[in-house]
Amino acid sequence: MDAFILLGSFILLILLGMPVAYALGLSALIGAWWIDIPLQAMMIQVAAGVNKFSLLAIPFFVLAGAIMAEGGMSRRLVAFAGVLVGFVRGGLSLVNIMASTFFGAISGSSVADTASVGSVLIPEMERKGYPRDFSTAVTVSGSVQALLTPPSHNSVLYSLAAGGTVSIASLFMAGVMPGLLLSAVMMVLCLIFAKKRNYPKGEVIPLRQALKIAGEALWGLMAMVIILGGILSGVFTATESAAIAVVWSFFVTMFIYRDYKWRDLPKLMHRTVRTISIVMILIAFAASFGYVMTLMQIPAKITTMFLTLSDNRYVILMCINVMLLLLGTVMDMAPLILILTPILMPVIVDIGVDPVHFGMIMLVNLGIGLITPPVGAVLFVGSAVGKVSIESTVKALLPFYAALFAVLMAVTYIPAISLWLPSVVL
């Protein structure tokens, strides 16, 4: 009955149209009232939920990504990707995927990736003879990489939701190989389409021009080197690397590229603060929700339920995958990470799955949800940027869904894809 009161009130509030953050907070209060928890205890949990040093990584990485997205860095990364792979048949679709790889490894945001890379490449791909819906589908599916590769904001959220027992550095390293695997699978699929549909070849860029493009893009790529190099060498923590990323992106944008106007900075800061405030409210209320869940012993009950279904680790992982895929289509990624991680963590520990490995499983699952209707935020952004209907984009995405599912199965059942790199470098 306790679980019904807590989860039922949350679902009812969501169905009534209340924002997820406030639905979490209000349902937590209802649950606390039901089991007779003092209001003061709930307020302490709300405050404690955002009183964590590691959380500073989120606003800093969001700000760094915003500066990079609007400061001309995405355009230069697209040009650099064109130098590397733009000359083959279907080269622009490969450029799209590779540009997402580069930009995602700097911004850590799928939405920023889709908006930045898509605004540059979707019109260009259409001009070169690619269907606009296909161009949009490539952009949207390729941006899922940003959720996996460092500096992923969602890895920070997962670490927080896991109670700080999983290090952010381990999650950052664990995301590199799955991200590269996703990029490789997407590129192979694009090459198959290019040959089948006879998409155009790009031109080989002259050496002198290629070196100039590479030199300009190097400033942006250095952000990735600084972030990962600093963390791996122990010079600074993952949280401190976020602040350094802001300083570096600001320096490159305002003093090297100089495409961005100083008078536009206050507007950029305002948009970033609005985004961060929503995330922080969500984290605060999710902490109180998780506190009530723990008191009601909901995670333990769900663990028992999964273990009664089967004692086979692979069967349980498949059940969890199906659940995450379904939930990812109807709710945004951040609240699902904050809600489900405390519930599922006892399950995966009991069946012997490494929490770092499970973090990658969860991110791939919920990343697919972000590009799937009816509540796919990245899908909506991509369709808006590409000026294509949701229906057309989803239809063009069907083969990409299959490729993403194949990547999900590989990440789920081959732990070494996620765990090999952290074991080597950390």
Side-chain angles (χ1 to χ4, degrees), residues 231-308:
I231 294 173
L232 296 178
S233 64
V235 175
F236 43 74
T237 66
T239 303
E240 292 164 347
S241 74
I244 293 168
V246 171
V247 174
W248 179 257
S249 61
F250 179 82
F251 170 74
V252 172
T253 297
M254 305 309 296
F255 298 101
I256 303 297
Y257 293 159
R258 292 182 288 184
D259 289 348
Y260 202 70
K261 296 180 176 60
W262 286 88
R263 65 173 180 268
D264 292 332
L265 274 176
K267 296 178 182 177
L268 183 146
M269 293 295 294
H270 179 258
R271 289 193 297 271
T272 302
V273 168
R274 285 186 60 186
T275 301
I276 293 305
S277 63
I278 295 169
V279 174
M280 289 304 176
I281 291 171
L282 176 64
I283 291 170
F285 287 147
S288 63
F289 189 86
Y291 173 68
V292 176
M293 277 200 308
T294 302
L295 293 178
M296 291 180 173
Q297 298 184 332
I298 292 176
K301 293 173 183 175
I302 290 180
T303 301
T304 303
M305 182 196 73
F306 271 108
L307 294 178
T308 55

Side-chain angles (χ1 to χ4, degrees), residues 155-410:
S155 291
V156 179
L157 281 179
Y158 175 78
S159 174
L160 169 74
T165 58
V166 185
S167 78
I168 297 173
S170 296
L171 291 168
F172 277 2
M173 290 300 100
V176 172
M177 296 303 292
L180 293 177
L181 174 63
L182 193 153
S183 176
V185 170
M186 291 293 151
M187 284 189 170
V188 169
L189 186 60
C190 286
L191 286 172
I192 293 171
F193 277 120
K195 184 175 181 180
K196 184 178 179 180
R197 300 175 181 177
N198 197 31
Y199 287 146
K201 284 186 177 181
E203 298 177 358
V204 177
I205 298 175
L207 180 61
R208 187 170 181 177
Q209 185 180 353
L211 290 175
K212 181 183 177 182
I213 292 171
E216 290 185 348
L218 184 62
W219 291 100
L221 293 172
M222 279 300 294
M224 178 172 54
V225 176
I226 291 170
I227 292 169
L228 293 183
I231 294 173
L232 296 178
S233 64
V235 175
F236 43 74
T237 66
T239 303
E240 292 164 347
S241 74
I244 293 168
V246 171
V247 174
W248 179 257
S249 61
F250 179 82
F251 170 74
V252 172
T253 297
M254 305 309 296
F255 298 101
I256 303 297
Y257 293 159
R258 292 182 288 184
D259 289 348
Y260 202 70
K261 296 180 176 60
W262 286 88
R263 65 173 180 268
D264 292 332
L265 274 176
K267 296 178 182 177
L268 183 146
M269 293 295 294
H270 179 258
R271 289 193 297 271
T272 302
V273 168
R274 285 186 60 186
T275 301
I276 293 305
S277 63
I278 295 169
V279 174
M280 289 304 176
I281 291 171
L282 176 64
I283 291 170
F285 287 147
S288 63
F289 189 86
Y291 173 68
V292 176
M293 277 200 308
T294 302
L295 293 178
M296 291 180 173
Q297 298 184 332
I298 292 176
K301 293 173 183 175
I302 290 180
T303 301
T304 303
M305 182 196 73
F306 271 108
L307 294 178
T308 55
L309 291 175
S310 173
D311 57 358
N312 188 303
R313 173 194 306 182
Y314 304 110
V315 173
I316 293 174
L317 282 175
M318 180 57 73
C319 293
I320 292 175
N321 274 330
V322 172
M323 181 183 74
L324 291 174
L325 284 172
L326 292 175
L327 290 174
T329 64
V330 295
M331 192 182 293
D332 204 10
M333 187 171 195
L336 281 174
I337 291 175
L338 293 169
I339 295 168
L340 294 178
T341 302
I343 293 175
L344 295 176
M345 188 63 68
V347 180
I348 62 104
V349 170
D350 199 81
I351 63 175
V353 175
D354 191 293
V356 174
H357 175 211
F358 181 68
M360 295 304 107
I361 295 173
M362 178 174 274
L363 292 183
V364 176
N365 268 297
L366 301 184
I368 295 173
L370 284 179
I371 64 171
T372 307
V375 190
V378 175
L379 173 64
F380 296 155
V381 171
S383 296
V385 171
K387 298 177 182 177
V388 182
S389 69
I390 300 291
E391 294 80 7
S392 298
T393 305
V394 170
K395 185 177 179 181
L397 272 169
L398 291 177
F400 293 94
Y401 287 136
L404 285 166
F405 185 76
V407 172
L408 172 61
M409 291 297 98

